[in-house]
Amino acid sequence: MPKTVFDVLKDKLQESVDSCEESLVSGAAKDYAQYREICGVIRGLTTAIQEIEDLAKNYSGYDDYDD
C-alpha cells in the first residue's frame, strides 16, 4: 500500500520525537527547565501524531463519497 500524506507526516513527527528522546537519554538537558521543555515537545508531538491518526481514520471513511 502506498504511503499517504498522513503516513509521511506521522513519520516526520515520529522522527522528531525520536530525536528528542535520544537527546534526553544522552543527557542533553542541562537543567530541569530544559528537561521539562523537551518533555513538553515530546508530549505535543505525540498528541499531533494521535490527531493525524484519528484524522486519517475519519478521512478513509469518506472514500465512498468521491462522486
Side-chain angles (χ1 to χ4, degrees):
M1 180 200 275
K3 280 192 167 190
T4 66
V5 67
F6 299 115
D7 296 327
V8 173
L9 186 55
K10 281 178 18 184
D11 290 347
K12 185 66 177 167
L13 293 177
Q14 187 59 51
E15 287 175 17
S16 296
V17 169
D18 294 343
S19 175
C20 287
E21 289 174 347
E22 287 175 23
S23 66
L24 279 179
V25 169
S26 68
K30 304 250 187 276
D31 56 19
Y32 186 65
Q34 283 185 339
Y35 170 81
R36 287 190 58 186
E37 180 179 347
I38 295 170
C39 288
V41 169
I42 292 170
R43 185 178 304 115
L45 291 169
T46 303
T47 300
I49 290 169
Q50 184 61 50
E51 292 294 327
I52 291 167
E53 288 174 353
D54 293 345
L55 181 62
K57 286 178 191 173
N58 291 334
Y59 184 77
S60 66
Y62 288 104
D63 289 345
D64 299 333
Y65 300 104
D66 285 342
D67 296 301

